Amino acid sequence: MRKPLVAGNWKMNLDRRAGVELAGAVRSHLDGLQGVDSVIYPPFVYIEEVARACAGTALVVGGQNICDQEVGAFTGEVSGAMLRDVGATVVLVGHSERRHVYGETDELCALKVRRGLASGLDVCLCIGETLEQREAGQTEQVCSTQLHGSLNGLSTEDMAKVTIAYEPVWAIGTGETASPEQAGAAHAYVRGVLSGIFNQAVADATRILYGGSVKPSNAADLLSVPDIDGALVGGAALTAENFLPILDAAAEVCVR
Ligand code: 13P
């Protein structure tokens, strides 16, 4: 039984006031919903205030990135312990913008996954192919390499704290969404890879989110695909007007 999860990745958007206000709206809305989990990922500097605004509620707050190292001379980096200290309980690893804008490799993602878990954080590992890779027929190979590269060696207990987000790079921030068929095929494949790395029970229990131009108008169609267990939302997570209907769609269609 996988409970649907709708996550909002704010990326480098909003300011302190807008962030706290949006978190308040999501928190109140979530209070009235059954059967859906939600996480918001504010920029580092707003995590503490947003987490305070969400304390004692079901709304979870996470970090968008984590340093692979524990502590020390790593200018500009933020550690897992620091994320915990300000109220984050989950962290994104390997987001496409980290991989493609900042050159993060699977090796670095693997270290970050381990550092997140060692810090007591849950981890949402993002994977996905570029347009070039999709057109070359490499979608499955890319997803498999990213999953193996970042998850090999984890225990089944570790995997209880890991969520996967399949985010095709060509669908991120482009307005172009993978069709439910395309996303469903990729998710089924990802679940198969998880079964191969771990076992069928881990594959069945792991939530796999879809990300890439999810919005109120396409959320229900995507979320009703059996292997799609939720959404990782970017642009549409920046206003209550867009994000709350996606939560509603998950609560309605993801009952399984
Ligand atoms: P968009 O929803 O803006 O396409 O962003 C998706 C994303 O990258 C979420 O992490």
Side-chain angles (χ1 to χ4, degrees):
M1 191 69 169
R2 299 183 298 270
K3 192 172 175 187
L5 169 63
V6 176
N9 175 10
W10 294 359
K11 308 191 180 183
M12 198 172 72
N13 292 295
L14 304 177
D15 59 16
R16 181 200 303 260
R17 200 157 68 144
V20 170
E21 198 175 300
L22 177 58
V26 177
R27 179 199 63 198
S28 313
H29 194 74
L30 193 64
D31 270 351
L33 281 184
Q34 294 281 317
V36 54
D37 288 336
S38 186
V39 184
I40 47 177
Y41 293 94
F44 284 148
V45 292
Y46 303 136
I47 289 176
E48 183 162 24
E49 200 159 337
V50 167
R52 208 177 296 130
C54 299
T57 76
L59 183 56
V60 170
V61 180
Q64 298 175 14
N65 188 19
I66 181 174
C67 183
D68 60 308
Q69 301 294 318
E70 188 176 359
V71 64
F74 302 101
T75 302
E77 293 291 313
V78 171
S79 75
M82 291 169 184
L83 288 172
R84 285 285 305 269
D85 202 21
V86 293
T89 55
V90 55
V91 66
L92 286 180
V93 171
H95 188 276
S96 123
E97 286 138 26
R98 301 300 319 168
R99 291 176 188 269
H100 298 288
V101 183
Y102 296 100
E104 293 194 5
T105 60
D106 286 331
E107 292 70 34
L108 183 60
C109 291
L111 293 173
K112 290 185 174 205
V113 167
R114 278 156 184 76
R115 184 61 62 198
L117 294 171
S119 308
L121 293 160
D122 288 355
V123 170
C124 179
L125 174 71
C126 307
I127 61 165
E129 81 287 0
T130 63
L131 182 59
E132 203 179 24
Q133 290 165 332
R134 172 161 283 264
E135 286 175 344
Q138 296 168 347
T139 298
E140 295 190 345
Q141 186 200 316
V142 169
C143 290
S144 173
T145 302
Q146 290 175 338
L147 289 166
H148 278 276
S150 301
L151 301 178
N152 271 347
L154 294 187
S155 68
T156 55
E157 291 75 33
D158 288 333
M159 282 305 291
K161 299 185 168 71
V162 174
T163 299
I164 306 296
Y166 168 67
E167 297 202 304
V169 180
W170 49 273
I172 296 179
T174 58
E176 191 167 340
T177 316
S179 67
E181 293 72 27
Q182 286 172 318
H187 281 229
Y189 177 77
V190 166
R191 208 174 295 287
V193 173
L194 293 176
S195 164
I197 301 176
F198 301 98
N199 55 45
Q200 193 58 44
V202 167
D204 287 342
T206 303
R207 290 190 284 199
I208 306 174
L209 315 182
Y210 169 77
S213 298
V214 176
K215 44 197 175 219
S217 59
N218 60 25
D221 280 349
L222 287 160
L223 293 169
S224 50
V225 175
D227 273 311
I228 300 183
D229 306 315
L232 180 55
V233 186
L238 298 177
T239 61
E241 187 189 355
N242 285 321
F243 194 61
L244 304 188
I246 300 175
L247 279 171
D248 291 339
E252 269 169 43
V253 301
C254 263
V255 183
R256 47 177 169 266

PDB file of all heavy atoms in Angstrom, residues 2 179-181 183-185 187 219-230 253-254 256:
ATOM      1  N   ARG A   2       0.812   2.012  -1.054  1.00  0.00           N
ATOM      2  CA  ARG A   2       1.640   3.214  -1.123  1.00  0.00           C
ATOM      3  C   ARG A   2       0.739   4.440  -1.036  1.00  0.00           C
ATOM      4  O   ARG A   2      -0.131   4.639  -1.869  1.00  0.00           O
ATOM      5  CB  ARG A   2       2.441   3.239  -2.433  1.00  0.00           C
ATOM      6  CG  ARG A   2       3.388   2.059  -2.592  1.00  0.00           C
ATOM      7  CD  ARG A   2       4.204   2.170  -3.855  1.00  0.00           C
ATOM      8  NE  ARG A   2       3.408   2.172  -5.056  1.00  0.00           N
ATOM      9  CZ  ARG A   2       3.062   1.079  -5.742  1.00  0.00           C
ATOM     10  NH1 ARG A   2       3.459  -0.113  -5.326  1.00  0.00           N
ATOM     11  NH2 ARG A   2       2.326   1.172  -6.828  1.00  0.00           N
ATOM     12  N   SER A 179       3.409  11.927 -21.329  1.00  0.00           N
ATOM     13  CA  SER A 179       2.026  11.429 -21.346  1.00  0.00           C
ATOM     14  C   SER A 179       1.894  10.409 -20.222  1.00  0.00           C
ATOM     15  O   SER A 179       2.902   9.829 -19.772  1.00  0.00           O
ATOM     16  CB  SER A 179       1.726  10.765 -22.688  1.00  0.00           C
ATOM     17  OG  SER A 179       2.505   9.594 -22.801  1.00  0.00           O
ATOM     18  N   PRO A 180       0.670  10.153 -19.766  1.00  0.00           N
ATOM     19  CA  PRO A 180       0.497   9.118 -18.739  1.00  0.00           C
ATOM     20  C   PRO A 180       1.104   7.785 -19.188  1.00  0.00           C
ATOM     21  O   PRO A 180       1.673   7.060 -18.378  1.00  0.00           O
ATOM     22  CB  PRO A 180      -1.028   9.019 -18.594  1.00  0.00           C
ATOM     23  CG  PRO A 180      -1.519  10.386 -18.972  1.00  0.00           C
ATOM     24  CD  PRO A 180      -0.601  10.859 -20.064  1.00  0.00           C
ATOM     25  N   GLU A 181       1.048   7.488 -20.497  1.00  0.00           N
ATOM     26  CA  GLU A 181       1.618   6.220 -21.000  1.00  0.00           C
ATOM     27  C   GLU A 181       3.144   6.243 -20.875  1.00  0.00           C
ATOM     28  O   GLU A 181       3.764   5.274 -20.424  1.00  0.00           O
ATOM     29  CB  GLU A 181       1.228   5.991 -22.466  1.00  0.00           C
ATOM     30  CG  GLU A 181      -0.252   5.732 -22.699  1.00  0.00           C
ATOM     31  CD  GLU A 181      -1.128   6.985 -22.523  1.00  0.00           C
ATOM     32  OE1 GLU A 181      -0.626   8.120 -22.731  1.00  0.00           O
ATOM     33  OE2 GLU A 181      -2.305   6.829 -22.149  1.00  0.00           O
ATOM     34  N   ALA A 183       5.011   8.159 -18.913  1.00  0.00           N
ATOM     35  CA  ALA A 183       5.417   8.179 -17.498  1.00  0.00           C
ATOM     36  C   ALA A 183       5.166   6.808 -16.863  1.00  0.00           C
ATOM     37  O   ALA A 183       6.008   6.290 -16.128  1.00  0.00           O
ATOM     38  CB  ALA A 183       4.663   9.273 -16.744  1.00  0.00           C
ATOM     39  N   GLY A 184       4.017   6.221 -17.179  1.00  0.00           N
ATOM     40  CA  GLY A 184       3.679   4.912 -16.602  1.00  0.00           C
ATOM     41  C   GLY A 184       4.699   3.856 -16.982  1.00  0.00           C
ATOM     42  O   GLY A 184       5.103   3.030 -16.144  1.00  0.00           O
ATOM     43  N   ALA A 185       5.136   3.874 -18.247  1.00  0.00           N
ATOM     44  CA  ALA A 185       6.120   2.887 -18.698  1.00  0.00           C
ATOM     45  C   ALA A 185       7.439   3.085 -17.953  1.00  0.00           C
ATOM     46  O   ALA A 185       8.076   2.108 -17.503  1.00  0.00           O
ATOM     47  CB  ALA A 185       6.333   3.016 -20.213  1.00  0.00           C
ATOM     48  N   HIS A 187       7.861   4.476 -15.006  1.00  0.00           N
ATOM     49  CA  HIS A 187       7.697   4.117 -13.589  1.00  0.00           C
ATOM     50  C   HIS A 187       7.708   2.599 -13.392  1.00  0.00           C
ATOM     51  O   HIS A 187       8.301   2.097 -12.443  1.00  0.00           O
ATOM     52  CB  HIS A 187       6.395   4.709 -13.035  1.00  0.00           C
ATOM     53  CG  HIS A 187       6.515   6.158 -12.691  1.00  0.00           C
ATOM     54  ND1 HIS A 187       6.102   6.685 -11.488  1.00  0.00           N
ATOM     55  CD2 HIS A 187       7.020   7.197 -13.397  1.00  0.00           C
ATOM     56  CE1 HIS A 187       6.354   7.980 -11.480  1.00  0.00           C
ATOM     57  NE2 HIS A 187       6.903   8.325 -12.629  1.00  0.00           N
ATOM     58  N   ALA A 219      -2.792  16.702 -13.588  1.00  0.00           N
ATOM     59  CA  ALA A 219      -2.428  15.902 -12.405  1.00  0.00           C
ATOM     60  C   ALA A 219      -3.271  14.632 -12.295  1.00  0.00           C
ATOM     61  O   ALA A 219      -2.731  13.543 -12.064  1.00  0.00           O
ATOM     62  CB  ALA A 219      -2.562  16.743 -11.138  1.00  0.00           C
ATOM     63  N   ALA A 220      -4.570  14.744 -12.463  1.00  0.00           N
ATOM     64  CA  ALA A 220      -5.431  13.563 -12.256  1.00  0.00           C
ATOM     65  C   ALA A 220      -5.080  12.452 -13.240  1.00  0.00           C
ATOM     66  O   ALA A 220      -5.021  11.280 -12.873  1.00  0.00           O
ATOM     67  CB  ALA A 220      -6.896  13.953 -12.369  1.00  0.00           C
ATOM     68  N   ASP A 221      -4.843  12.823 -14.507  1.00  0.00           N
ATOM     69  CA  ASP A 221      -4.508  11.810 -15.520  1.00  0.00           C
ATOM     70  C   ASP A 221      -3.207  11.088 -15.171  1.00  0.00           C
ATOM     71  O   ASP A 221      -3.099   9.870 -15.305  1.00  0.00           O
ATOM     72  CB  ASP A 221      -4.343  12.456 -16.899  1.00  0.00           C
ATOM     73  CG  ASP A 221      -5.687  12.710 -17.550  1.00  0.00           C
ATOM     74  OD1 ASP A 221      -6.702  12.195 -17.014  1.00  0.00           O
ATOM     75  OD2 ASP A 221      -5.725  13.428 -18.559  1.00  0.00           O
ATOM     76  N   LEU A 222      -2.210  11.855 -14.747  1.00  0.00           N
ATOM     77  CA  LEU A 222      -0.920  11.242 -14.410  1.00  0.00           C
ATOM     78  C   LEU A 222      -1.040  10.397 -13.148  1.00  0.00           C
ATOM     79  O   LEU A 222      -0.560   9.259 -13.089  1.00  0.00           O
ATOM     80  CB  LEU A 222       0.148  12.324 -14.211  1.00  0.00           C
ATOM     81  CG  LEU A 222       0.628  12.992 -15.500  1.00  0.00           C
ATOM     82  CD1 LEU A 222       1.284  14.342 -15.204  1.00  0.00           C
ATOM     83  CD2 LEU A 222       1.615  12.086 -16.244  1.00  0.00           C
ATOM     84  N   LEU A 223      -1.708  10.943 -12.149  1.00  0.00           N
ATOM     85  CA  LEU A 223      -1.752  10.267 -10.848  1.00  0.00           C
ATOM     86  C   LEU A 223      -2.644   9.036 -10.853  1.00  0.00           C
ATOM     87  O   LEU A 223      -2.553   8.202  -9.956  1.00  0.00           O
ATOM     88  CB  LEU A 223      -2.221  11.256  -9.766  1.00  0.00           C
ATOM     89  CG  LEU A 223      -1.243  12.394  -9.477  1.00  0.00           C
ATOM     90  CD1 LEU A 223      -1.884  13.456  -8.597  1.00  0.00           C
ATOM     91  CD2 LEU A 223       0.029  11.868  -8.819  1.00  0.00           C
ATOM     92  N   SER A 224      -3.481   8.903 -11.869  1.00  0.00           N
ATOM     93  CA  SER A 224      -4.319   7.700 -11.895  1.00  0.00           C
ATOM     94  C   SER A 224      -3.593   6.501 -12.515  1.00  0.00           C
ATOM     95  O   SER A 224      -4.113   5.390 -12.505  1.00  0.00           O
ATOM     96  CB  SER A 224      -5.646   7.965 -12.606  1.00  0.00           C
ATOM     97  OG  SER A 224      -5.406   8.563 -13.834  1.00  0.00           O
ATOM     98  N   VAL A 225      -2.377   6.718 -13.018  1.00  0.00           N
ATOM     99  CA  VAL A 225      -1.582   5.592 -13.538  1.00  0.00           C
ATOM    100  C   VAL A 225      -1.078   4.771 -12.339  1.00  0.00           C
ATOM    101  O   VAL A 225      -0.533   5.333 -11.385  1.00  0.00           O
ATOM    102  CB  VAL A 225      -0.383   6.125 -14.372  1.00  0.00           C
ATOM    103  CG1 VAL A 225       0.508   4.981 -14.812  1.00  0.00           C
ATOM    104  CG2 VAL A 225      -0.884   6.929 -15.554  1.00  0.00           C
ATOM    105  N   PRO A 226      -1.273   3.449 -12.377  1.00  0.00           N
ATOM    106  CA  PRO A 226      -0.990   2.621 -11.189  1.00  0.00           C
ATOM    107  C   PRO A 226       0.408   2.781 -10.582  1.00  0.00           C
ATOM    108  O   PRO A 226       0.548   2.788  -9.373  1.00  0.00           O
ATOM    109  CB  PRO A 226      -1.184   1.190 -11.707  1.00  0.00           C
ATOM    110  CG  PRO A 226      -2.105   1.316 -12.852  1.00  0.00           C
ATOM    111  CD  PRO A 226      -1.871   2.657 -13.471  1.00  0.00           C
ATOM    112  N   ASP A 227       1.436   2.914 -11.410  1.00  0.00           N
ATOM    113  CA  ASP A 227       2.784   2.995 -10.838  1.00  0.00           C
ATOM    114  C   ASP A 227       3.207   4.415 -10.470  1.00  0.00           C
ATOM    115  O   ASP A 227       4.327   4.616 -10.003  1.00  0.00           O
ATOM    116  CB  ASP A 227       3.807   2.395 -11.815  1.00  0.00           C
ATOM    117  CG  ASP A 227       3.930   0.886 -11.615  1.00  0.00           C
ATOM    118  OD1 ASP A 227       4.090   0.465 -10.453  1.00  0.00           O
ATOM    119  OD2 ASP A 227       3.823   0.144 -12.604  1.00  0.00           O
ATOM    120  N   ILE A 228       2.344   5.395 -10.701  1.00  0.00           N
ATOM    121  CA  ILE A 228       2.677   6.784 -10.337  1.00  0.00           C
ATOM    122  C   ILE A 228       2.071   7.076  -8.963  1.00  0.00           C
ATOM    123  O   ILE A 228       0.861   7.123  -8.803  1.00  0.00           O
ATOM    124  CB  ILE A 228       2.182   7.776 -11.414  1.00  0.00           C
ATOM    125  CG1 ILE A 228       2.841   7.445 -12.759  1.00  0.00           C
ATOM    126  CG2 ILE A 228       2.488   9.213 -10.987  1.00  0.00           C
ATOM    127  CD1 ILE A 228       2.489   8.393 -13.894  1.00  0.00           C
ATOM    128  N   ASP A 229       2.959   7.246  -7.981  1.00  0.00           N
ATOM    129  CA  ASP A 229       2.506   7.335  -6.585  1.00  0.00           C
ATOM    130  C   ASP A 229       2.452   8.759  -6.061  1.00  0.00           C
ATOM    131  O   ASP A 229       2.310   8.978  -4.857  1.00  0.00           O
ATOM    132  CB  ASP A 229       3.453   6.517  -5.696  1.00  0.00           C
ATOM    133  CG  ASP A 229       3.588   5.085  -6.183  1.00  0.00           C
ATOM    134  OD1 ASP A 229       2.544   4.473  -6.503  1.00  0.00           O
ATOM    135  OD2 ASP A 229       4.725   4.592  -6.288  1.00  0.00           O
ATOM    136  N   GLY A 230       2.606   9.720  -6.953  1.00  0.00           N
ATOM    137  CA  GLY A 230       2.565  11.099  -6.508  1.00  0.00           C
ATOM    138  C   GLY A 230       3.310  11.971  -7.493  1.00  0.00           C
ATOM    139  O   GLY A 230       3.674  11.522  -8.581  1.00  0.00           O
ATOM    140  N   VAL A 253      -7.595  10.376  -6.736  1.00  0.00           N
ATOM    141  CA  VAL A 253      -7.339   9.283  -7.678  1.00  0.00           C
ATOM    142  C   VAL A 253      -6.331   8.260  -7.211  1.00  0.00           C
ATOM    143  O   VAL A 253      -6.252   7.174  -7.755  1.00  0.00           O
ATOM    144  CB  VAL A 253      -6.886   9.807  -9.068  1.00  0.00           C
ATOM    145  CG1 VAL A 253      -7.925  10.712  -9.656  1.00  0.00           C
ATOM    146  CG2 VAL A 253      -5.539  10.466  -8.977  1.00  0.00           C
ATOM    147  N   CYS A 254      -5.534   8.608  -6.211  1.00  0.00           N
ATOM    148  CA  CYS A 254      -4.444   7.711  -5.836  1.00  0.00           C
ATOM    149  C   CYS A 254      -4.837   6.717  -4.753  1.00  0.00           C
ATOM    150  O   CYS A 254      -3.981   6.242  -4.030  1.00  0.00           O
ATOM    151  CB  CYS A 254      -3.243   8.513  -5.357  1.00  0.00           C
ATOM    152  SG  CYS A 254      -2.011   8.777  -6.612  1.00  0.00           S
ATOM    153  N   ARG A 256      -5.133   3.473  -3.406  1.00  0.00           N
ATOM    154  CA  ARG A 256      -4.800   2.082  -3.728  1.00  0.00           C
ATOM    155  C   ARG A 256      -4.037   1.426  -2.595  1.00  0.00           C
ATOM    156  O   ARG A 256      -3.694   2.066  -1.642  1.00  0.00           O
ATOM    157  CB  ARG A 256      -3.986   1.980  -5.013  1.00  0.00           C
ATOM    158  CG  ARG A 256      -2.815   2.929  -5.164  1.00  0.00           C
ATOM    159  CD  ARG A 256      -2.083   2.611  -6.467  1.00  0.00           C
ATOM    160  NE  ARG A 256      -1.112   3.608  -6.814  1.00  0.00           N
ATOM    161  CZ  ARG A 256      -1.348   4.629  -7.626  1.00  0.00           C
ATOM    162  NH1 ARG A 256      -2.529   4.790  -8.153  1.00  0.00           N
ATOM    163  NH2 ARG A 256      -0.403   5.509  -7.898  1.00  0.00           N
TER     164      ARG A 256
END
